[in-house]
Amino acid sequence: VEAMMDEYHAGRILTPSPVLTRVLQELSTGTLGFNQAAKIVAVPFPFPFSQLTSIALSGMVVVLPFALADFTESVILTPVLAFLLVTGYKGLNATAVELENPFGDDTNDFPVHELQRSFVSM
């Protein structure tokens, strides 16, 4: 940016000021996006919290059928509700695990290289 401004003041860049201002604004937006992504990568998800969530989910799988049996008092409704609730919470946990690190080469990760190419081509 500094070199661009030096060239502009030296008269070697003949771009009008509003266009140059827009270029500087887009460079600033790109830098801001990079810094936001760097913050996500630099701050790891707390390992103890992740383990505590897994333990709580395992405890829920054990306790939930008994609580539902006492609550519903139905032979048919209890296993259906237990299955749906446990499957839902397991799915939420699997989603959270995928969101812990959104950058990488996994199936559900952000296509960082494609996003960068599309940003540069604008």
Side-chain angles (χ1 to χ4, degrees):
V1 173
E2 190 173 325
M4 186 187 324
M5 292 307 297
D6 289 341
E7 294 295 317
Y8 178 74
H9 290 301
R12 289 186 284 268
I13 295 179
L14 303 175
T15 307
S17 296
V19 174
L20 188 60
T21 302
R22 181 65 181 191
V23 168
L24 293 173
Q25 180 183 3
E26 291 298 324
L27 286 173
S28 173
T29 303
T31 304
L32 178 66
F34 174 79
N35 288 333
Q36 294 292 341
K39 280 195 289 188
I40 291 173
V41 171
V43 178
F45 195 76
F47 181 73
F49 183 77
S50 175
Q51 293 303 309
L52 185 62
T53 303
S54 296
I55 291 170
L57 190 59
S58 299
M60 188 191 81
V61 168
V62 172
V63 173
L64 185 69
F66 298 110
L68 283 175
D70 188 44
F71 178 71
T72 61
E73 298 177 357
S74 171
V75 178
I76 296 172
L77 191 59
T78 298
V80 170
L81 281 177
F83 173 76
L84 291 175
L85 289 171
V86 168
T87 303
Y89 278 110
K90 286 278 192 179
L92 283 174
N93 188 42
T95 303
V97 167
E98 284 294 323
L99 290 175
E100 282 180 17
N101 187 9
F103 306 109
D105 296 329
D106 295 341
T107 305
N108 293 325
D109 289 341
F110 282 125
V112 178
H113 296 293
E114 293 172 19
L115 290 173
Q116 196 271 339
R117 277 191 214 105
S118 69
F119 181 78
V120 170
S121 69
M122 288 182 170

Short mmCIF file of all heavy atoms in Angstrom, two decimals, residues 6-65:
data_model
loop_
_atom_site.label_atom_id
_atom_site.label_comp_id
_atom_site.label_asym_id
_atom_site.label_seq_id
_atom_site.Cartn_x
_atom_site.Cartn_y
_atom_site.Cartn_z
N ASP A 6 3.33 5.86 -2.88
CA ASP A 6 4.55 6.55 -3.34
C ASP A 6 4.53 6.72 -4.86
O ASP A 6 4.87 7.80 -5.38
CB ASP A 6 5.80 5.78 -2.91
CG ASP A 6 6.04 5.87 -1.42
OD1 ASP A 6 5.48 6.78 -0.76
OD2 ASP A 6 6.78 5.00 -0.89
N GLU A 7 4.11 5.66 -5.57
CA GLU A 7 4.01 5.74 -7.03
C GLU A 7 2.95 6.75 -7.46
O GLU A 7 3.10 7.45 -8.45
CB GLU A 7 3.70 4.36 -7.62
CG GLU A 7 4.81 3.34 -7.43
CD GLU A 7 6.06 3.72 -8.20
OE1 GLU A 7 5.95 4.16 -9.36
OE2 GLU A 7 7.17 3.58 -7.63
N TYR A 8 1.85 6.81 -6.72
CA TYR A 8 0.78 7.76 -7.05
C TYR A 8 1.28 9.20 -6.87
O TYR A 8 1.05 10.06 -7.73
CB TYR A 8 -0.44 7.50 -6.17
CG TYR A 8 -1.57 8.46 -6.42
CD1 TYR A 8 -2.35 8.35 -7.56
CD2 TYR A 8 -1.85 9.49 -5.53
CE1 TYR A 8 -3.39 9.23 -7.80
CE2 TYR A 8 -2.87 10.38 -5.76
CZ TYR A 8 -3.65 10.25 -6.90
OH TYR A 8 -4.67 11.13 -7.14
N HIS A 9 1.98 9.46 -5.77
CA HIS A 9 2.48 10.81 -5.52
C HIS A 9 3.62 11.19 -6.47
O HIS A 9 3.82 12.37 -6.77
CB HIS A 9 2.93 10.95 -4.07
CG HIS A 9 1.79 10.94 -3.09
ND1 HIS A 9 0.77 11.85 -3.12
CD2 HIS A 9 1.53 10.11 -2.05
CE1 HIS A 9 -0.08 11.60 -2.15
NE2 HIS A 9 0.35 10.53 -1.48
N ALA A 10 4.34 10.18 -6.97
CA ALA A 10 5.41 10.45 -7.93
C ALA A 10 4.85 10.69 -9.33
O ALA A 10 5.57 11.11 -10.22
CB ALA A 10 6.40 9.29 -7.95
N GLY A 11 3.58 10.39 -9.53
CA GLY A 11 2.94 10.64 -10.82
C GLY A 11 3.02 9.47 -11.78
O GLY A 11 2.68 9.60 -12.96
N ARG A 12 3.49 8.32 -11.34
CA ARG A 12 3.58 7.16 -12.23
C ARG A 12 2.27 6.37 -12.30
O ARG A 12 2.09 5.55 -13.17
CB ARG A 12 4.74 6.28 -11.79
CG ARG A 12 6.09 6.93 -12.09
CD ARG A 12 7.24 5.99 -11.79
NE ARG A 12 7.52 5.87 -10.37
CZ ARG A 12 8.39 6.64 -9.71
NH1 ARG A 12 9.04 7.60 -10.35
NH2 ARG A 12 8.61 6.45 -8.44
N ILE A 13 1.38 6.58 -11.35
CA ILE A 13 0.04 5.98 -11.39
C ILE A 13 -0.93 7.10 -11.72
O ILE A 13 -1.06 8.07 -10.97
CB ILE A 13 -0.32 5.31 -10.05
CG1 ILE A 13 0.60 4.13 -9.78
CG2 ILE A 13 -1.77 4.85 -10.06
CD1 ILE A 13 0.33 3.43 -8.46
N LEU A 14 -1.60 6.98 -12.86
CA LEU A 14 -2.48 8.05 -13.33
C LEU A 14 -3.96 7.75 -13.05
O LEU A 14 -4.83 8.27 -13.73
CB LEU A 14 -2.26 8.26 -14.82
CG LEU A 14 -0.81 8.60 -15.21
CD1 LEU A 14 -0.67 8.67 -16.72
CD2 LEU A 14 -0.37 9.89 -14.55
N THR A 15 -4.22 6.95 -12.05
CA THR A 15 -5.59 6.58 -11.70
C THR A 15 -6.22 7.72 -10.91
O THR A 15 -5.57 8.32 -10.05
CB THR A 15 -5.56 5.30 -10.83
OG1 THR A 15 -4.83 4.30 -11.52
CG2 THR A 15 -6.95 4.80 -10.55
N PRO A 16 -7.49 8.02 -11.18
CA PRO A 16 -8.17 9.06 -10.40
C PRO A 16 -8.25 8.68 -8.91
O PRO A 16 -8.29 7.51 -8.55
CB PRO A 16 -9.57 9.12 -11.02
CG PRO A 16 -9.47 8.47 -12.34
CD PRO A 16 -8.34 7.50 -12.26
N SER A 17 -8.30 9.68 -8.08
CA SER A 17 -8.31 9.46 -6.63
C SER A 17 -9.45 8.58 -6.14
O SER A 17 -9.22 7.72 -5.28
CB SER A 17 -8.36 10.82 -5.91
OG SER A 17 -7.19 11.54 -6.18
N PRO A 18 -10.69 8.75 -6.63
CA PRO A 18 -11.76 7.87 -6.13
C PRO A 18 -11.52 6.38 -6.44
O PRO A 18 -11.84 5.52 -5.62
CB PRO A 18 -13.01 8.37 -6.86
CG PRO A 18 -12.71 9.77 -7.22
CD PRO A 18 -11.23 9.80 -7.48
N VAL A 19 -10.93 6.09 -7.60
CA VAL A 19 -10.64 4.70 -7.95
C VAL A 19 -9.55 4.16 -7.04
O VAL A 19 -9.63 3.02 -6.55
CB VAL A 19 -10.26 4.58 -9.44
CG1 VAL A 19 -9.82 3.17 -9.78
CG2 VAL A 19 -11.41 5.03 -10.32
N LEU A 20 -8.52 4.95 -6.81
CA LEU A 20 -7.44 4.53 -5.93
C LEU A 20 -7.94 4.32 -4.50
O LEU A 20 -7.54 3.38 -3.82
CB LEU A 20 -6.31 5.56 -5.95
CG LEU A 20 -5.03 5.18 -5.23
CD1 LEU A 20 -4.43 3.91 -5.83
CD2 LEU A 20 -4.04 6.32 -5.28
N THR A 21 -8.85 5.17 -4.06
CA THR A 21 -9.44 5.02 -2.74
C THR A 21 -10.20 3.70 -2.63
O THR A 21 -10.13 3.00 -1.63
CB THR A 21 -10.38 6.20 -2.43
OG1 THR A 21 -9.65 7.41 -2.53
CG2 THR A 21 -10.97 6.09 -1.05
N ARG A 22 -10.93 3.37 -3.71
CA ARG A 22 -11.67 2.10 -3.72
C ARG A 22 -10.71 0.90 -3.68
O ARG A 22 -10.99 -0.09 -3.01
CB ARG A 22 -12.57 2.04 -4.97
CG ARG A 22 -13.39 0.82 -5.09
CD ARG A 22 -14.40 0.74 -3.98
NE ARG A 22 -15.17 -0.49 -4.15
CZ ARG A 22 -16.25 -0.77 -3.50
NH1 ARG A 22 -16.71 0.08 -2.61
NH2 ARG A 22 -16.88 -1.90 -3.71
N VAL A 23 -9.59 0.99 -4.38
CA VAL A 23 -8.60 -0.08 -4.35
C VAL A 23 -8.07 -0.25 -2.93
O VAL A 23 -7.94 -1.38 -2.43
CB VAL A 23 -7.45 0.21 -5.34
CG1 VAL A 23 -6.27 -0.72 -5.11
CG2 VAL A 23 -7.94 0.13 -6.76
N LEU A 24 -7.77 0.86 -2.27
CA LEU A 24 -7.27 0.78 -0.89
C LEU A 24 -8.33 0.20 0.04
O LEU A 24 -8.02 -0.56 0.96
CB LEU A 24 -6.83 2.16 -0.42
CG LEU A 24 -5.60 2.73 -1.14
CD1 LEU A 24 -5.35 4.16 -0.71
CD2 LEU A 24 -4.38 1.87 -0.90
N GLN A 25 -9.60 0.54 -0.21
CA GLN A 25 -10.69 0.01 0.60
C GLN A 25 -10.79 -1.51 0.42
O GLN A 25 -10.99 -2.24 1.37
CB GLN A 25 -12.00 0.68 0.23
CG GLN A 25 -13.18 0.17 1.03
CD GLN A 25 -14.49 0.81 0.60
OE1 GLN A 25 -14.53 1.58 -0.34
NE2 GLN A 25 -15.55 0.46 1.29
N GLU A 26 -10.68 -1.99 -0.82
CA GLU A 26 -10.75 -3.44 -1.07
C GLU A 26 -9.56 -4.16 -0.45
O GLU A 26 -9.71 -5.27 0.08
CB GLU A 26 -10.82 -3.71 -2.58
CG GLU A 26 -12.11 -3.28 -3.22
CD GLU A 26 -13.32 -4.01 -2.65
OE1 GLU A 26 -13.21 -5.21 -2.32
OE2 GLU A 26 -14.38 -3.38 -2.51
N LEU A 27 -8.38 -3.56 -0.49
CA LEU A 27 -7.23 -4.16 0.19
C LEU A 27 -7.45 -4.23 1.69
O LEU A 27 -7.10 -5.22 2.34
CB LEU A 27 -5.96 -3.35 -0.12
CG LEU A 27 -5.38 -3.52 -1.52
CD1 LEU A 27 -4.24 -2.53 -1.73
CD2 LEU A 27 -4.89 -4.94 -1.73
N SER A 28 -8.06 -3.20 2.24
CA SER A 28 -8.37 -3.19 3.67
C SER A 28 -9.39 -4.28 4.01
O SER A 28 -9.25 -4.97 5.02
CB SER A 28 -8.92 -1.82 4.06
OG SER A 28 -9.38 -1.84 5.39
N THR A 29 -10.40 -4.46 3.17
CA THR A 29 -11.40 -5.51 3.39
C THR A 29 -10.76 -6.89 3.33
O THR A 29 -11.08 -7.77 4.14
CB THR A 29 -12.53 -5.40 2.35
OG1 THR A 29 -13.11 -4.10 2.42
CG2 THR A 29 -13.60 -6.45 2.57
N GLY A 30 -9.86 -7.10 2.40
CA GLY A 30 -9.16 -8.38 2.30
C GLY A 30 -8.30 -8.65 3.52
O GLY A 30 -8.25 -9.77 4.04
N THR A 31 -7.61 -7.63 3.98
CA THR A 31 -6.77 -7.77 5.17
C THR A 31 -7.63 -8.07 6.40
O THR A 31 -7.28 -8.90 7.23
CB THR A 31 -5.95 -6.48 5.41
OG1 THR A 31 -5.19 -6.22 4.23
CG2 THR A 31 -5.03 -6.63 6.60
N LEU A 32 -8.77 -7.41 6.50
CA LEU A 32 -9.68 -7.66 7.62
C LEU A 32 -10.20 -9.10 7.59
O LEU A 32 -10.23 -9.78 8.61
CB LEU A 32 -10.86 -6.68 7.57
CG LEU A 32 -11.91 -6.85 8.65
CD1 LEU A 32 -11.33 -6.53 10.01
CD2 LEU A 32 -13.11 -5.96 8.36
N GLY A 33 -10.59 -9.58 6.41
CA GLY A 33 -11.05 -10.96 6.29
C GLY A 33 -9.97 -11.95 6.66
O GLY A 33 -10.23 -12.96 7.33
N PHE A 34 -8.74 -11.69 6.22
CA PHE A 34 -7.62 -12.56 6.57
C PHE A 34 -7.40 -12.59 8.08
O PHE A 34 -7.21 -13.65 8.67
CB PHE A 34 -6.35 -12.10 5.87
CG PHE A 34 -5.14 -12.87 6.29
CD1 PHE A 34 -4.89 -14.13 5.77
CD2 PHE A 34 -4.25 -12.35 7.21
CE1 PHE A 34 -3.78 -14.86 6.17
CE2 PHE A 34 -3.14 -13.06 7.61
CZ PHE A 34 -2.90 -14.31 7.08
N ASN A 35 -7.44 -11.42 8.71
CA ASN A 35 -7.23 -11.36 10.16
C ASN A 35 -8.34 -12.06 10.93
O ASN A 35 -8.09 -12.68 11.96
CB ASN A 35 -7.09 -9.91 10.61
CG ASN A 35 -5.78 -9.30 10.17
OD1 ASN A 35 -4.78 -10.00 10.00
ND2 ASN A 35 -5.76 -8.00 9.98
N GLN A 36 -9.59 -11.96 10.44
CA GLN A 36 -10.70 -12.67 11.10
C GLN A 36 -10.50 -14.18 11.00
O GLN A 36 -10.73 -14.91 11.97
CB GLN A 36 -12.04 -12.27 10.46
CG GLN A 36 -12.43 -10.82 10.68
CD GLN A 36 -12.75 -10.51 12.13
OE1 GLN A 36 -13.02 -11.38 12.94
NE2 GLN A 36 -12.72 -9.23 12.47
N ALA A 37 -10.10 -14.66 9.83
CA ALA A 37 -9.85 -16.09 9.67
C ALA A 37 -8.66 -16.54 10.52
O ALA A 37 -8.68 -17.64 11.09
CB ALA A 37 -9.60 -16.42 8.20
N ALA A 38 -7.65 -15.71 10.62
CA ALA A 38 -6.48 -16.05 11.43
C ALA A 38 -6.85 -16.15 12.91
O ALA A 38 -6.32 -17.00 13.63
CB ALA A 38 -5.37 -15.02 11.24
N LYS A 39 -7.79 -15.32 13.37
CA LYS A 39 -8.23 -15.40 14.76
C LYS A 39 -8.95 -16.72 15.02
O LYS A 39 -8.78 -17.32 16.08
CB LYS A 39 -9.18 -14.24 15.09
CG LYS A 39 -8.47 -12.95 15.39
CD LYS A 39 -9.39 -11.95 16.08
CE LYS A 39 -10.41 -11.42 15.13
NZ LYS A 39 -11.21 -10.32 15.68
N ILE A 40 -9.77 -17.18 14.07
CA ILE A 40 -10.49 -18.43 14.25
C ILE A 40 -9.50 -19.59 14.34
O ILE A 40 -9.66 -20.50 15.17
CB ILE A 40 -11.49 -18.65 13.09
CG1 ILE A 40 -12.63 -17.64 13.20
CG2 ILE A 40 -12.04 -20.06 13.11
CD1 ILE A 40 -13.56 -17.66 12.02
N VAL A 41 -8.47 -19.56 13.51
CA VAL A 41 -7.48 -20.64 13.52
C VAL A 41 -6.61 -20.58 14.77
O VAL A 41 -6.26 -21.61 15.35
CB VAL A 41 -6.61 -20.57 12.25
CG1 VAL A 41 -5.45 -21.52 12.33
CG2 VAL A 41 -7.46 -20.87 11.03
N ALA A 42 -6.29 -19.37 15.23
CA ALA A 42 -5.34 -19.22 16.33
C ALA A 42 -5.94 -19.56 17.70
O ALA A 42 -5.21 -19.95 18.61
CB ALA A 42 -4.81 -17.79 16.37
N VAL A 43 -7.25 -19.44 17.86
CA VAL A 43 -7.88 -19.70 19.15
C VAL A 43 -8.49 -21.10 19.12
O VAL A 43 -9.54 -21.30 18.51
CB VAL A 43 -8.96 -18.65 19.47
CG1 VAL A 43 -9.62 -18.96 20.80
CG2 VAL A 43 -8.36 -17.26 19.48
N PRO A 44 -7.85 -22.07 19.74
CA PRO A 44 -8.38 -23.44 19.70
C PRO A 44 -9.59 -23.59 20.61
O PRO A 44 -9.76 -22.87 21.59
CB PRO A 44 -7.20 -24.29 20.20
CG PRO A 44 -6.43 -23.37 21.08
CD PRO A 44 -6.59 -21.99 20.48
N PHE A 45 -10.42 -24.56 20.27
CA PHE A 45 -11.57 -24.88 21.12
C PHE A 45 -11.05 -25.55 22.37
O PHE A 45 -10.18 -26.42 22.30
CB PHE A 45 -12.51 -25.81 20.35
CG PHE A 45 -13.87 -25.92 20.97
CD1 PHE A 45 -14.78 -24.90 20.83
CD2 PHE A 45 -14.22 -27.04 21.70
CE1 PHE A 45 -16.04 -25.00 21.39
CE2 PHE A 45 -15.47 -27.14 22.27
CZ PHE A 45 -16.38 -26.12 22.11
N PRO A 46 -11.53 -25.19 23.55
CA PRO A 46 -10.99 -25.75 24.79
C PRO A 46 -11.21 -27.27 24.88
O PRO A 46 -12.34 -27.74 24.80
CB PRO A 46 -11.75 -25.03 25.90
CG PRO A 46 -12.63 -24.05 25.26
CD PRO A 46 -12.57 -24.21 23.78
N PHE A 47 -10.13 -28.00 25.02
CA PHE A 47 -10.18 -29.45 25.08
C PHE A 47 -11.01 -29.97 26.27
O PHE A 47 -11.81 -30.89 26.10
CB PHE A 47 -8.76 -30.02 25.12
CG PHE A 47 -8.73 -31.51 25.15
CD1 PHE A 47 -9.04 -32.25 24.02
CD2 PHE A 47 -8.41 -32.19 26.32
CE1 PHE A 47 -9.02 -33.64 24.04
CE2 PHE A 47 -8.38 -33.57 26.36
CZ PHE A 47 -8.68 -34.29 25.22
N PRO A 48 -10.86 -29.39 27.48
CA PRO A 48 -11.68 -29.89 28.60
C PRO A 48 -13.18 -29.71 28.34
O PRO A 48 -13.97 -30.58 28.70
CB PRO A 48 -11.23 -29.05 29.79
CG PRO A 48 -9.87 -28.60 29.44
CD PRO A 48 -9.87 -28.42 27.95
N PHE A 49 -13.57 -28.63 27.72
CA PHE A 49 -14.99 -28.42 27.42
C PHE A 49 -15.48 -29.47 26.43
O PHE A 49 -16.59 -30.00 26.57
CB PHE A 49 -15.22 -27.01 26.88
CG PHE A 49 -16.66 -26.70 26.62
CD1 PHE A 49 -17.51 -26.40 27.67
CD2 PHE A 49 -17.17 -26.72 25.34
CE1 PHE A 49 -18.84 -26.13 27.46
CE2 PHE A 49 -18.50 -26.45 25.11
CZ PHE A 49 -19.34 -26.15 26.17
N SER A 50 -14.67 -29.78 25.46
CA SER A 50 -15.03 -30.80 24.48
C SER A 50 -15.20 -32.16 25.14
O SER A 50 -16.15 -32.90 24.85
CB SER A 50 -13.96 -30.86 23.39
OG SER A 50 -14.22 -31.89 22.50
N GLN A 51 -14.30 -32.51 26.04
CA GLN A 51 -14.39 -33.79 26.74
C GLN A 51 -15.59 -33.83 27.69
O GLN A 51 -16.27 -34.84 27.79
CB GLN A 51 -13.09 -34.06 27.52
CG GLN A 51 -11.90 -34.28 26.64
CD GLN A 51 -12.13 -35.43 25.67
OE1 GLN A 51 -12.53 -36.51 26.05
NE2 GLN A 51 -11.90 -35.17 24.39
N LEU A 52 -15.86 -32.72 28.35
CA LEU A 52 -17.00 -32.65 29.25
C LEU A 52 -18.31 -32.80 28.47
O LEU A 52 -19.24 -33.47 28.94
CB LEU A 52 -16.99 -31.32 30.02
CG LEU A 52 -18.06 -31.13 31.08
CD1 LEU A 52 -17.89 -32.17 32.17
CD2 LEU A 52 -17.99 -29.73 31.65
N THR A 53 -18.37 -32.22 27.30
CA THR A 53 -19.56 -32.38 26.46
C THR A 53 -19.75 -33.83 26.04
O THR A 53 -20.88 -34.34 26.07
CB THR A 53 -19.43 -31.48 25.21
OG1 THR A 53 -19.26 -30.13 25.63
CG2 THR A 53 -20.66 -31.58 24.34
N SER A 54 -18.69 -34.51 25.68
CA SER A 54 -18.79 -35.92 25.31
C SER A 54 -19.24 -36.78 26.48
O SER A 54 -20.07 -37.69 26.33
CB SER A 54 -17.44 -36.43 24.79
OG SER A 54 -17.10 -35.76 23.62
N ILE A 55 -18.72 -36.51 27.67
CA ILE A 55 -19.11 -37.27 28.86
C ILE A 55 -20.58 -37.01 29.20
O ILE A 55 -21.33 -37.94 29.53
CB ILE A 55 -18.18 -36.93 30.04
CG1 ILE A 55 -16.79 -37.48 29.77
CG2 ILE A 55 -18.74 -37.47 31.35
CD1 ILE A 55 -15.74 -37.01 30.75
N ALA A 56 -21.00 -35.75 29.13
CA ALA A 56 -22.40 -35.41 29.41
C ALA A 56 -23.33 -36.08 28.41
O ALA A 56 -24.42 -36.55 28.77
CB ALA A 56 -22.58 -33.90 29.41
N LEU A 57 -22.93 -36.11 27.16
CA LEU A 57 -23.75 -36.75 26.13
C LEU A 57 -23.84 -38.26 26.38
O LEU A 57 -24.91 -38.85 26.24
CB LEU A 57 -23.16 -36.48 24.75
CG LEU A 57 -24.01 -36.88 23.56
CD1 LEU A 57 -25.35 -36.18 23.58
CD2 LEU A 57 -23.28 -36.55 22.27
N SER A 58 -22.75 -38.88 26.79
CA SER A 58 -22.78 -40.31 27.11
C SER A 58 -23.67 -40.58 28.32
O SER A 58 -24.42 -41.57 28.35
CB SER A 58 -21.36 -40.82 27.40
OG SER A 58 -20.56 -40.65 26.25
N GLY A 59 -23.60 -39.71 29.32
CA GLY A 59 -24.48 -39.85 30.48
C GLY A 59 -25.94 -39.69 30.11
O GLY A 59 -26.81 -40.39 30.63
N MET A 60 -26.22 -38.77 29.19
CA MET A 60 -27.60 -38.57 28.75
C MET A 60 -28.13 -39.81 28.04
O MET A 60 -29.29 -40.17 28.20
CB MET A 60 -27.69 -37.36 27.83
CG MET A 60 -29.12 -36.99 27.50
SD MET A 60 -29.25 -35.80 26.19
CE MET A 60 -29.06 -36.84 24.76
N VAL A 61 -27.28 -40.46 27.26
CA VAL A 61 -27.69 -41.68 26.54
C VAL A 61 -28.10 -42.76 27.54
O VAL A 61 -29.04 -43.52 27.30
CB VAL A 61 -26.56 -42.16 25.61
CG1 VAL A 61 -26.83 -43.55 25.08
CG2 VAL A 61 -26.37 -41.19 24.47
N VAL A 62 -27.42 -42.83 28.68
CA VAL A 62 -27.73 -43.85 29.68
C VAL A 62 -28.98 -43.47 30.48
O VAL A 62 -29.85 -44.30 30.73
CB VAL A 62 -26.51 -44.06 30.61
CG1 VAL A 62 -26.86 -44.97 31.77
CG2 VAL A 62 -25.35 -44.62 29.82
N VAL A 63 -29.09 -42.22 30.89
CA VAL A 63 -30.15 -41.80 31.81
C VAL A 63 -31.46 -41.48 31.10
O VAL A 63 -32.54 -41.72 31.66
CB VAL A 63 -29.67 -40.57 32.62
CG1 VAL A 63 -30.77 -39.97 33.46
CG2 VAL A 63 -28.49 -40.96 33.49
N LEU A 64 -31.40 -40.98 29.89
CA LEU A 64 -32.60 -40.51 29.19
C LEU A 64 -33.69 -41.56 29.05
O LEU A 64 -34.86 -41.26 29.30
CB LEU A 64 -32.22 -39.93 27.82
CG LEU A 64 -33.37 -39.29 27.05
CD1 LEU A 64 -33.82 -38.02 27.74
CD2 LEU A 64 -32.97 -39.03 25.63
N PRO A 65 -33.41 -42.80 28.66
CA PRO A 65 -34.51 -43.78 28.54
C PRO A 65 -35.27 -44.01 29.85
O PRO A 65 -36.49 -44.13 29.85
CB PRO A 65 -33.80 -45.06 28.08
CG PRO A 65 -32.57 -44.58 27.41
CD PRO A 65 -32.16 -43.36 28.16
#
